[in-house]
Structures are given as structure tokens and as C-alpha cells.
Amino acid sequence: MKKVTAVLLTLIIAVSFCGCNDSKTTQPVSKTAFYFDTVVSITLYDGSDASLIDDCFAILSGYESLISRTIPSSEVSLFNASAEGCTFSEKTADMVKAALSYAEDTDGAFDPALGAVTSIWKDAIKEGSLPGDDIITKALIHTGYGHISFECR
């Protein structure tokens, strides 16, 4: 039994010194961009193909062009500007359905319909002050996922 224990211990030590790394060292590759009014950083730790990060950013750009509330030509901006609503592409409709589902699942902790409140905070940050409670309260009356009516045809 002592021989088996000694052999196992020797093997464990030998394997731990070998490691799982090959001889070439790969440095992580990171890129940062700005989408959805936020800074997005993507890091690729195997460093094998940095163009994958560009592909990820292209996907984000495509989604942003559909659902950004700050891009006037996006489907969501057109919806927000319309009194009657509008027709979404299938991709946008799927994202809106998912966002509303997340809002319901989290009881509003995630709420995709707080644009007016977000704008108030952005303005306050630019001015270097906090928004007043009365301003936020007024904005909250007209925001929230419960105000969105969504129908698939």
C-alpha cells in the first residue's frame, strides 16, 4: 500500500509540474466600443482570431440599429415617435418580446421602457446635479413596461 501511495503521489507531483500549456504564450486581445449608450469591452483570451471581436461588434451594431432609442431611424425610435405604433421586423419583435418577458419575470427590476427616466439622469449628469424627485415621479407615470402593448400578427 505504501508503494501505491508513493507512486500516486509521484505521479500527481509530476503532472502538476507539466501543466496544460503549450510552449507558445498567447496574450489576450481586447477591443472596446460604444453601443447602446454604454461602453462595451470584449476580451478574447486565446488570442487566436481577433477578428471574432469585430464580428461581435458587427452583431451589436446590427441590433443597435434596430432597437436603439437614441438612433432616430431605429425601429424602436420610430415606434416611440408614433402615436399609433408601428410594425417591427421579426428580429426586433423577437427582441421586444424577450425584453418584455424579462421585465415580467423580474417584476420590473429589468424594465426596457424607462427611456424618459434615463434621459433625466443623463441630463442631470451633464449638469452635475441630481434630478428632483418631482421630475422623476412625473417621468415614471409615463414609463414602464406595463405601458407597452405588443401584438404579433
Side-chain angles (χ1 to χ4, degrees):
M1 186 66 175
K2 287 184 181 179
K3 273 188 174 183
V4 172
T5 304
V7 169
L8 285 174
L9 186 58
T10 304
L11 283 173
I12 290 170
I13 292 171
V15 168
S16 68
F17 283 115
C18 292
C20 298
N21 199 358
D22 59 7
S23 59
K24 71 177 188 176
T25 314
T26 310
Q27 295 296 318
V29 176
S30 292
K31 291 186 179 182
T32 301
F34 192 76
Y35 294 101
F36 302 105
D37 285 344
T38 193
V39 175
V40 178
S41 293
I42 299 175
T43 302
L44 186 62
Y45 288 96
D46 76 354
S48 63
D49 187 0
S51 70
L52 293 173
I53 296 174
D54 296 328
D55 293 343
C56 292
F57 285 149
I59 292 169
L60 287 174
S61 178
Y63 286 141
E64 183 178 49
S65 70
L66 295 173
I67 64 171
S68 173
R69 71 176 187 84
T70 60
I71 297 175
S73 62
S74 80
E75 293 181 24
V76 168
S77 286
L78 295 173
F79 169 80
N80 288 338
S82 168
E84 300 88 38
C86 66
T87 302
F88 287 147
S89 67
E90 184 176 344
K91 190 180 278 190
T92 298
D94 288 344
M95 286 187 281
V96 170
K97 283 189 283 189
L100 293 174
S101 176
Y102 297 144
E104 288 178 14
D105 291 348
T106 63
D107 292 321
F110 171 82
D111 193 335
L114 291 176
V117 176
T118 303
S119 293
I120 290 168
W121 278 99
K122 273 187 161 183
D123 292 343
I125 289 169
K126 286 178 187 174
E127 296 170 7
S129 64
L130 295 177
D133 288 343
D134 56 327
I135 295 172
I136 294 173
T137 301
K138 285 178 188 174
L140 285 172
I141 292 170
H142 304 288
T143 60
Y145 74 96
H147 292 281
I148 297 175
S149 175
F150 189 75
E151 178 183 317
C152 293
R153 295 180 187 171

